Amino acid sequence: MYNIFIGTRDKEQRVDYIRLARKITRTLFAAQSLGSAGFIAVATVSAIVGASLSGNPALAGLPSSVYLLGSALAALALGFVMDRIGRRGGITLGLLSGVAGSGLAVAAIIAGSFPLFLFGMAAMGIAQAGLQLGRFAAAESNPPDQRGRAISNVVIGGAVGAVLGPLLVGPTGRLANLAGLNELTGPFGFAMLLFMAAALVIFTRLRPDPRDLGREVARLYPSTISNQDQARPLPVIFRQPAPLLALASMVIGQVVMVMLMVITSLHMQHHQQELSDISLVISSHTFGMFAFSILSGRLADHWGRGQTILAGSATLVLACLTAPLSPEVLPLAAALFLLGLGWNFCFVGGTSLLADHLMPTERARAQGFNDLLIGLASAAGSLSSGVIFSAVGYGVMGSIGAALAVVPAVMTAWWLLARRHSLVRAE
């Protein structure tokens, strides 16, 4: 196990360093839990609001697409901002955008303005981008052999949101009715409070700034990062095998997951499944996405980043091939659970691998660029799923997803072999 306290003499200082890293991870988990509950509550009703305000059911999915695109574009911008004002300031700024965006959404529903509602959804996407970048803040604050665990401890906050978010929709809608407002304003109003609480948690508790703690970790582990004197341009970074593999595993895993997940409910509806059954399958998928984050983080630390990505790719292939075999609830629930689990392994393994291979001065913008591509992949997967499904059906879509999921597996196998050969030559 790495010893992060190389060069220190006082035992109390060592304990304090561990305490700070754990405090940062706990703070990011709390903010992720609060924020994701707000995001999922909003996502539950955004299509209904979109159809109602636009007067056109065909535009029901547009708010979600605007939200995803807003998140993607904001990730890159926040990456550059975090280099200047730190992780605490950048994440707080993103969450405050979410506060403003959810407030605009409430105003839009009251005023019946679809364009204003879309603007509010885009602003909430900025908050999502800030929270997602928080996993990298946890990674850089911890020593290399604990990064996967730290990332997973933040990501698992999504599980809290997945449980609480849908449960908030009904009660907040009733509260809005009692206040004389449209019930659809309820989830957005409560999301505003959750984003505000998350921003307060980050602003008051994310100290010291993970950027500063990360620089100390990099100083203690110079062999784990690039030995370049100056920060590398993004094209140079992502031409390197490890960052390229990390990027591919997260982006392709996102495309495969979103593409199959989004259209499964429609596939089940075509087979006359009840809404309660559809909800069960999607819940199983969400459970797979977040509930085993602790496991994937520990695998990434102790088994290896590449091996974790390889396991994720194989799980995605299995999910894509088994999902079309039966439209019944239990087989689909099992397949969608595997789809979420495979995504999680690729996401946590890829995040850990990317964090390992960046200099402190490169981290925020490279990670922002990474999340920009993930957000664009989400939007592309969501928009293309309906087209592919209507053209070739659910079975062929599963085969397409499986073929895509093979790509990071092949890249990982090549990277592991190349690294092994380089170690043998070094000996």
Side-chain angles (χ1 to χ4, degrees):
M1 184 174 181
Y2 293 103
N3 180 9
I4 194 168
F5 308 111
I6 296 172
T8 60
R9 292 174 297 177
D10 188 79
K11 187 174 181 180
E12 291 183 2
Q13 286 182 308
R14 302 181 183 186
V15 173
D16 188 57
Y17 203 106
I18 293 175
R19 181 182 61 80
L20 290 174
R22 290 177 177 172
K23 174 190 172 186
I24 286 172
T25 303
R26 287 195 302 268
T27 299
L28 291 165
F29 164 78
Q32 182 72 29
S33 300
L34 291 166
S36 63
F39 291 129
I40 294 174
V42 164
T44 305
V45 298
S46 64
I48 300 172
V49 177
S52 174
L53 293 181
S54 67
N56 185 356
L59 297 178
L62 185 58
S64 177
S65 298
V66 168
Y67 165 81
L68 291 171
L69 289 173
S71 178
L73 296 174
L76 183 61
L78 283 175
F80 283 96
V81 168
M82 286 181 184
D83 271 338
R84 292 184 174 274
I85 66 174
R87 312 321 184 221
R88 181 170 67 97
I91 298 173
T92 301
L93 182 63
L95 287 166
L96 291 177
S97 297
V99 173
S102 49
L104 286 174
V106 171
I109 296 171
I110 294 172
S113 173
F114 188 51
L116 184 61
F117 180 69
L118 294 179
F119 191 75
M121 291 297 292
M124 279 185 276
I126 300 173
Q128 171 71 350
L131 273 184
Q132 285 295 316
L133 288 171
R135 72 190 191 279
F136 288 112
E140 68 183 331
S141 304
N142 284 268
D145 69 325
Q146 296 179 26
R147 283 178 183 151
R149 191 178 313 175
I151 292 164
S152 66
N153 286 339
V154 175
V155 172
I156 202 172
V160 177
V163 173
L164 292 180
L167 295 177
L168 293 172
V169 174
T172 57
R174 289 190 289 272
L175 285 173
N177 271 335
L178 289 175
L181 300 173
N182 187 319
E183 66 177 354
L184 293 174
T185 63
F188 291 93
F190 201 75
M192 181 168 61
L193 297 177
L194 290 172
F195 297 151
M196 195 177 298
L200 186 62
V201 167
I202 291 294
F203 187 74
T204 59
R205 299 289 298 169
L206 199 64
R207 299 172 185 273
D209 195 291
R211 177 188 61 179
D212 302 329
L213 204 57
R215 287 171 178 167
E216 179 65 13
V217 173
R219 185 186 66 80
L220 295 173
Y221 294 97
S223 62
T224 65
I225 60 174
S226 169
N227 58 4
Q228 302 291 322
D229 293 331
Q230 295 182 341
R232 298 164 293 175
L234 289 175
V236 174
I237 293 173
F238 287 104
R239 279 201 299 266
Q240 304 304 310
L244 180 60
L245 171 59
L247 177 68
S249 67
M250 287 185 274
V251 170
I252 294 175
Q254 189 81 13
V255 170
V256 172
M257 185 272 289
V258 171
M259 186 176 65
L260 198 65
M261 179 270 293
V262 163
I263 211 65
T264 295
S265 58
L266 185 59
H267 168 66
M268 293 181 70
Q269 187 183 60
H270 285 182
H271 286 85
Q272 288 76 51
Q273 298 285 5
E274 300 290 336
L275 284 177
S276 58
D277 293 333
I278 295 173
S279 176
L280 176 63
V281 169
I282 300 302
S283 295
S284 174
H285 170 69
T286 307
F287 185 74
M289 285 180 67
F290 298 115
F292 290 88
S293 291
I294 298 297
L295 172 63
S296 60
R298 279 156 177 74
L299 286 176
D301 284 339
H302 297 292
W303 191 24
R305 317 313 195 202
Q307 289 85 344
T308 304
I309 294 171
L310 199 60
S313 298
T315 306
L316 286 174
V317 171
L318 179 62
C320 291
L321 294 179
T322 56
L325 295 180
S326 171
E328 297 301 318
V329 175
L330 289 181
L332 267 177
L336 268 288
F337 167 80
L338 291 174
L339 185 71
L341 185 64
W343 169 86
N344 180 276
F345 277 34
C346 288
F347 191 73
V348 172
T351 299
S352 304
L353 181 61
L354 182 59
D356 287 343
H357 289 83
L358 296 174
M359 296 167 57
T361 53
E362 298 170 343
R363 284 173 177 162
R365 58 193 178 87
Q367 292 158 355
F369 176 74
N370 176 81
D371 279 15
L372 164 67
L373 295 187
I374 290 177
L376 294 176
S378 293
S382 178
L383 292 172
S384 65
S385 60
V387 176
I388 297 173
F389 178 74
S390 61
V392 295
Y394 194 71
V396 176
M397 175 175 283
S399 299
I400 293 172
L404 287 173
V406 169
V407 174
V410 173
M411 291 179 66
T412 302
W414 176 83
W415 178 70
L416 289 172
L417 287 173
R419 192 176 63 164
R420 183 177 299 174
H421 289 159
S422 65
L423 290 174
V424 170
R425 286 197 301 270
E427 293 174 356

